[in-house]
Amino acid sequence: MSRMVYLLNMTISGIKNLEKDIYIDFYGKQIDKRFNPEKYKIKAIYGENGTGKTAIISAVEIVKEFIINENYLRDFDNQALLKDLINKKTKTFVFRCEYVTLIESIFIFEYEVHFSFDENDEVYVSYESLKYKSNNSKCTQMTIFVCQNGDFVVLDANVNDRNRILDITKNLTSKQSVLSLLFKMVNSDYKVFIDRLIIVYATIFFLVIFTHFGDEDKHTKYYQNIRLNELKRNNLVNKSVVDELLQNISTNERRVAIDEFDHYLKNIKGLERFIKLFKPSLNSIVIDKREDNGYYICRILFDYIQYTVDFEFESTGIKHLVDIYSALKMASLGAVVFIDELDANINDVMLGKLVEYFVLYCNGQLCFTSHNTTPMIVLKRNNKSIDYLTTDNKIISWVKNGNYSPENRYRDGMIEGLPFNVDPSDFISVFEENI
């Protein structure tokens, strides 16, 4: 799969402890016909515990889920989660991003959405908009739609089609994405005067964006499969590209359709090669399966020749590697991937080699949070590859500065807003017995 999308930047506020706008820039250059993000495809975000690194990835996850799952805001559990995640002071979560699609031509999109509380303390969409322009610098930005508090302020359609769209989306836009609704229309029998290509290309970005947390919600993959299958029926996009995406989304699934088992086996073999790099004593990964109504219920076993270990009883480090493998594979194929705490339970030498692979060879885009400074040694070669999130919600990007290294400046408390000025003696009062 070649690169289809690229995230240029995003602005986030109002989630967890991120009260103010934080702006994360991935490219930082003017987009033209020579657009080449090859040196701007990986970013690490560092910061003290509790600064909001996980909140950044949570924000991406929420917006992605909102667009691909039409019932996201109607779900009781999601409502409860958002009530906990949205900042208690701002009471509005704002997400804005600019991204590029590179399918036949270059289109630059700007998408924005706000989530607020209504009079019943329910989370709803208070604002959503989509704008775009082509890579031609003479082309002005076009607005596809702006929807505020359930009403369209701008809608790029003639009078008749506007009325049809308003009728179809009536009472839906406060709980469902307008982008998602329009995508559904252009992939159905609705004949509305909305630029079909623009809507499809704008939506593709959210279909090839992946997030990973320690306890990933597997329902996300289910809805991504639904939307990708809808896209597969659209002749504007190469079906082989969508097929490849579909084959690689379900790597960690345990319940596998019988007719998809060959794809699952192929992914497990890839996982086996990956784990062997970290644990050469592994002989193979064996699939223990039983049939159940057109499905195989699969368990994976780790064969070390002299003994076999069920995945459930593998080490925490191996479990983490298995858990992140599918996300890393998607990044290598061309997707946009966010991973929280990539470094967890990974040897720092191997972590450095893994990060270097993505710098040199991957087709996609990888953004991860980390506490381990080893990746800085690799990433310092390129601009826009290291960001520091400070305790006062500011993003500071690493820029080359003489012979100073980012890892030493970080450790020595020389990054503004991240003063690691704790002395070993400061722990004495913490662990004194007589307090």
Side-chain angles (χ1 to χ4, degrees), residues 177-195:
S177 166
V178 173
L179 177 57
S180 178
L181 287 164
L182 294 177
F183 177 78
K184 190 173 182 178
M185 289 179 201
V186 300
N187 280 281
S188 67
D189 294 331
Y190 293 114
K191 303 300 181 184
V192 292
F193 190 69
I194 289 286
D195 194 320

Side-chain angles (χ1 to χ4, degrees), residues 1-20:
M1 184 181 78
S2 59
R3 184 189 300 277
M4 290 193 296
V5 297
Y6 182 85
L7 176 61
L8 294 170
N9 58 68
M10 60 183 185
T11 303
I12 300 166
S13 67
I15 182 166
K16 297 181 75 172
N17 61 328
L18 299 180
E19 182 179 340
K20 305 172 185 176

Side-chain angles (χ1 to χ4, degrees), residues 192-244:
V192 292
F193 190 69
I194 289 286
D195 194 320
R196 187 169 185 251
L197 181 140
I198 293 299
I199 295 300
V200 170
Y201 285 6
T203 309
I204 282 176
F205 172 74
F206 296 98
L207 298 179
V208 295
I209 192 168
F210 294 81
T211 56
H212 182 275
F213 300 88
D215 295 313
E216 187 182 12
D217 180 3
K218 303 301 180 186
H219 295 304
T220 300
K221 293 180 179 180
Y222 171 78
Y223 289 113
Q224 280 177 299
N225 272 277
I226 290 175
R227 296 298 178 232
L228 283 167
N229 275 307
E230 290 177 1
L231 188 60
K232 187 177 177 180
R233 294 192 294 269
N234 189 320
N235 293 326
L236 290 173
V237 180
N238 190 322
K239 291 183 179 180
S240 64
V241 172
V242 181
D243 283 338
E244 190 168 3

Side-chain angles (χ1 to χ4, degrees), residues 256-403:
V256 182
I258 290 176
D259 60 355
E260 294 178 359
F261 182 76
D262 287 344
H263 297 313
Y264 178 74
L265 179 61
K266 179 181 176 182
N267 286 327
I268 292 299
K269 288 300 179 184
L271 173 64
E272 178 185 292
R273 293 191 295 271
F274 177 66
I275 298 299
K276 279 184 176 181
L277 293 174
F278 294 83
K279 198 169 184 179
S281 61
L282 176 68
N283 179 50
S284 64
I285 297 179
V286 180
I287 302 173
D288 180 29
K289 67 181 188 296
R290 60 182 174 83
E291 191 172 342
D292 179 31
N293 295 322
Y295 288 85
Y296 285 130
I297 308 301
C298 299
R299 293 164 52 240
I300 55 175
L301 309 174
F302 289 72
D303 174 28
Y304 296 97
I305 299 181
Q306 295 181 340
Y307 61 93
T308 300
V309 179
D310 190 291
F311 173 71
E312 182 67 27
F313 299 100
E314 262 292 356
S315 67
T316 303
I318 294 298
K319 284 182 175 179
H320 178 65
L321 290 170
V322 171
D323 206 26
I324 65 174
Y325 169 72
S326 60
L328 293 173
K329 184 172 183 179
M330 294 311 302
S332 72
L333 290 171
V336 179
V337 174
F338 289 79
I339 299 179
D340 189 36
E341 296 191 3
L342 172 66
D343 59 315
N345 300 298
I346 298 181
N347 174 278
D348 62 343
V349 175
M350 291 299 294
L351 177 65
K353 300 295 184 183
L354 179 62
V355 170
E356 189 166 15
Y357 161 78
F358 282 95
V359 169
L360 296 175
Y361 303 112
C362 89
N363 289 320
Q365 193 174 359
L366 175 65
C367 178
F368 64 91
T369 67
S370 178
H371 292 284
N372 191 315
T373 58
T374 298
M376 291 186 190
I377 299 171
V378 177
L379 296 176
K380 67 183 179 182
R381 304 169 191 168
N382 298 322
N383 292 328
K384 300 295 179 185
S385 62
I386 303 173
D387 280 356
Y388 303 102
L389 178 59
T390 69
T391 53
D392 57 350
N393 293 171
K394 293 180 181 178
I395 289 286
I396 298 177
S397 294
W398 165 256
V399 292
K400 295 177 183 178
N401 185 4
N403 293 323

Side-chain angles (χ1 to χ4, degrees), residues 393-421:
N393 293 171
K394 293 180 181 178
I395 289 286
I396 298 177
S397 294
W398 165 256
V399 292
K400 295 177 183 178
N401 185 4
N403 293 323
Y404 288 109
S405 66
E407 64 271 23
N408 287 337
R409 289 180 66 86
Y410 181 63
R411 289 195 192 99
D412 295 341
M414 299 175 69
I415 304 298
E416 182 183 355
L418 285 174
F420 287 118
N421 55 1

